[in-house]
Amino acid sequence: MSGPAAPGRTIALVGLSGVGKSATGRILAARLGRPLFDTDTLVIEAAGRSVAEIFSAHGEARFRELEAAALRSACDRGPCVIATGGGVVLRADNRALLRERAYIVWLDAPTPTLLARLRAHDEPRPLLAGDYAARLDQLRAERARLYENLADLRISTDQIAPEAICERIVSALAGPA
Ligand code: S3P
């Protein structure tokens, strides 16, 4: 982890599905008076299809291209809050763009917490098809280093409300008291 907190910078939330990126992003954007962009939502708007439909009709590679374009367009819209899809860190160009343009917050929580949150919203996640817990553990193993190397700040969101997560982010942005 590295990088100073910078008040005028875009803030990007990264982490696995179910960790609270969208809920935290909404509250953080309102609190900072900035627009919120959600890369999944931008992809859905651009493609006119759901994420699950893009995966099944065109495959993951096409989804990742649309996701990279969505990230670029969010980064180009000035200081904002970006709730990224969990796999945005997989591409080196996405990681470079995030490093250059954003203060990156990695939201993390244990798999049972992610499962409980995902069950509460029954939107299909194609990469979690089958055994959700096993898939989340696998994605965590594949991605933890990427999130860790990228993040300026890591927050465990286990048993913490999104408002409290935002508090921590805002404090980090303000720097040491
Ligand atoms: C994915 C996470 C999803 C969505 C897509 C792929 C991933 O977003 O982008 O299903 O690779 O982890 P959330 O992190 O918002 O669930």
Side-chain angles (χ1 to χ4, degrees):
M1 313 225 181
S2 63
R9 243 171 144 194
T10 283
I11 299 165
L13 305 176
V14 302
L16 291 171
S17 289
V19 83
K21 292 164 292 181
S22 301
T24 303
R26 272 193 296 277
I27 295 168
L28 187 64
R31 169 138 187 201
L32 298 175
R34 293 189 188 181
L36 169 71
F37 298 108
D38 180 310
T39 57
D40 279 354
T41 305
L42 293 174
V43 166
I44 292 163
E45 283 169 6
R49 294 175 159 211
S50 71
V51 171
E53 284 166 352
I54 299 166
F55 267 77
S56 74
H58 305 291
E60 180 176 349
R62 177 70 187 138
F63 172 79
R64 296 296 173 204
E65 279 170 25
L66 293 167
E67 182 177 56
L71 181 66
R72 284 194 298 274
S73 91
C75 285
D76 283 345
R77 294 195 218 179
C80 61
V81 175
I82 308 177
T84 64
V88 84
V89 296
L90 293 171
R91 283 174 61 132
D93 57 347
N94 289 346
R95 297 196 298 272
L97 183 64
L98 284 169
R99 258 194 210 105
E100 184 192 315
R101 302 283 189 88
Y103 181 73
I104 303 162
V105 182
W106 173 22
L107 303 182
D108 193 22
T111 295
T113 305
L114 302 182
L115 278 177
R117 296 215 186 104
L118 290 169
R119 286 199 182 109
H121 311 90
D122 60 350
E123 173 198 328
R125 256 98 173 170
L127 280 188
L128 299 180
D131 180 341
Y132 263 44
R135 285 292 294 142
L136 281 167
D137 285 343
Q138 190 184 348
L139 294 178
R140 184 190 301 283
E142 287 167 12
R143 296 177 182 173
R145 282 295 275 280
L146 296 173
Y147 294 134
E148 184 168 8
N149 289 337
L150 198 59
D152 296 299
L153 176 68
R154 174 184 182 174
I155 299 177
S156 168
T157 67
D158 199 23
Q159 300 184 337
I160 304 183
E163 290 78 5
I165 299 168
C166 291
E167 255 342 289
R168 292 201 191 172
I169 297 171
V170 170
S171 303
L173 289 170

